[in-house]
Amino acid sequence: MKFTKMHGCGNDYVYVNCFEEKIENPSETAKLVSDRHFGIGSDGLILICPSDKADFRMAMYNLDGSEGKMCGNGVRCIAKYVYDHHLTDKTQISLETLGGIKYLDLNIKDGKVETVTVDMGAPILTPSEIPVNIPKERAVNEPVEIDGKEWRITCISMGNPHAVVFVDDTAGLKLEQIGPLFEKHPLFPEQVNTEFVHVIDRHTVDMRVWERGSGETLACGTGACATAMACILTGQTDNEVLVHLVGGDLLIQYDAEKNTVFMTGPATEVFSGEIEL
């Protein structure tokens, strides 16, 4: 199988061009290639596929083999791949995902994609649609007891479910201990991605993320969008937020008139190769 390793702010995936390759068992393939000791090493597997609804289609699998609906960093990397590898010459493309069709603006430098702005669509705030088992119109700053401690969560879906938790310090968190307790909490019927966020000022935040099916990753694009929305909903920031992630920065902008979230960030190709499955 031919592949390309790419990352968005350190959130790395193995990408396969399914216009040329055929993957019989993507779930098992994801587990194989993601292993950082015996495989290629990644947060998962992303397939770039034909679509009858958009220019291209994304299929993504976490490192445990589970299928994900959407990946904001992965979306940007797909945009870079299809342009740099001449699958398209358009600088505005559409991408089908299980989280809906996303529209991407490609920012070109020296003939290659440097950054990508993604129309991430409207945030989903209704608990039953996220989903989270909180019988209210919105789940904003809701108390939840985990590991004997009360936390406050703001729940949002950006194509996949997120719980945003505000903390005084992100660096000192024992994320490998607390993350799984959020991920598998009975409040979340489809499990959840959890963002731990420290607000620096009205335009800037720090964030660490525990992703369902993958553990802590260096970045999460949908998580950064959910974080910005949680900051706005709780009145802690303005509508443009620079999110500092472990692997880099993402600029999130919320257009209140259109009720649309835009994400801008880099995409990087690391190397290409072949692996025997």
Side-chain angles (χ1 to χ4, degrees), residues 7 25 67-69 106-107 118 128 131 134-135 145 176 186 196 210 215-216 219 245 248 264:
H7 77 85
N25 190 334
E67 187 170 10
K69 289 185 177 180
L106 286 55
N107 307 308
V118 185
S128 61
I134 293 177
E145 185 174 316
E176 69 283 354
F196 296 88
W210 184 270
E216 182 174 14
L245 307 113
T264 301

Side-chain angles (χ1 to χ4, degrees), residues 76 107 115-118 249-253 262-266:
R76 298 198 313 277
N107 307 308
T115 62
V116 180
T117 298
V118 185
D249 294 345
L250 292 174
L251 180 65
I252 311 300
Q253 296 161 299
F262 294 91
M263 171 188 64
T264 301

Side-chain angles (χ1 to χ4, degrees), residues 2-277:
K2 293 181 179 179
F3 70 88
T4 298
K5 172 81 174 281
M6 305 183 76
H7 77 85
C9 295
N11 189 195
D12 60 338
Y13 287 86
V14 171
Y15 291 78
V16 177
N17 178 358
C18 288
F19 288 81
E20 299 177 355
E21 300 282 334
K22 186 174 182 180
I23 310 301
E24 298 291 347
N25 190 334
S27 180
E28 288 302 314
T29 302
K31 288 191 278 188
L32 171 68
V33 301
S34 297
D35 192 293
R36 296 191 185 275
H37 299 286
F38 299 103
I40 299 164
S42 67
D43 291 325
L45 172 71
I46 290 181
L47 309 181
I48 305 169
C49 308
S51 171
D52 56 6
K53 299 177 182 177
D55 294 316
F56 301 95
R57 178 172 66 86
M58 163 196 272
M60 68 156 296
Y61 295 83
N62 298 308
L63 58 79
D64 67 354
S66 61
E67 187 170 10
K69 289 185 177 180
M70 233 289 288
C71 171
N73 293 309
V75 164
R76 298 198 313 277
C77 288
I78 286 180
K80 180 173 178 62
Y81 183 96
V82 297
Y83 186 89
D84 290 5
H85 290 257
H86 310 297
L87 274 66
T88 185
D89 59 1
K90 298 195 294 185
T91 57
Q92 292 182 315
I93 64 171
S94 57
L95 180 67
E96 178 188 354
T97 78
L98 290 180
I101 294 177
K102 305 302 175 188
Y103 298 92
L104 291 66
D105 285 319
L106 286 55
N107 307 308
I108 312 299
K109 183 178 180 180
D110 298 328
K112 293 186 180 294
V113 172
E114 184 177 41
T115 62
V116 180
T117 298
V118 185
D119 179 341
M120 297 291 285
I124 297 168
L125 305 177
T126 304
S128 61
E129 297 175 11
I130 293 174
V132 54
N133 295 323
I134 293 177
K136 294 185 176 181
E137 290 186 7
R138 290 185 177 183
V140 177
N141 205 31
E142 287 292 320
V144 56
E145 185 174 316
I146 291 179
D147 199 26
K149 178 181 175 181
E150 183 178 281
W151 305 75
R152 295 273 175 170
I153 58 172
T154 297
C155 298
I156 295 159
S157 173
M158 292 300 308
N160 45 19
H162 294 272
V164 179
V165 182
F166 293 103
V167 296
D168 294 330
D169 170 48
T170 58
L173 275 176
K174 295 181 178 178
L175 203 53
E176 69 283 354
Q177 295 179 16
I178 193 66
L181 301 180
F182 277 90
E183 178 184 1
K184 295 177 168 60
H185 194 280
L187 266 180
F188 308 106
E190 296 179 9
Q191 302 185 348
V192 75
N193 305 283
T194 311
E195 287 73 38
F196 296 88
V197 180
H198 170 61
V199 178
I200 298 171
D201 57 37
R202 298 287 303 176
H203 304 280
T204 318
V205 302
D206 281 332
M207 178 190 117
R208 286 176 69 190
V209 58
W210 184 270
E211 292 198 56
R212 59 176 181 172
S214 292
E216 182 174 14
T217 57
L218 298 183
C220 177
T222 57
C225 294
T227 288
M229 284 307 306
C231 291
I232 294 163
L233 288 169
T234 55
Q236 298 184 76
T237 68
D238 297 336
N239 287 5
E240 181 172 295
V241 184
L242 184 66
V243 182
H244 295 315
L245 307 113
V246 177
D249 294 345
L250 292 174
L251 180 65
I252 311 300
Q253 296 161 299
Y254 175 60
D255 186 325
E257 287 188 9
K258 296 180 180 178
N259 189 30
T260 299
V261 180
F262 294 91
M263 171 188 64
T264 301
T268 303
E269 182 172 325
V270 185
F271 64 88
S272 294
E274 295 184 11
I275 186 171
E276 190 170 332
L277 300 178

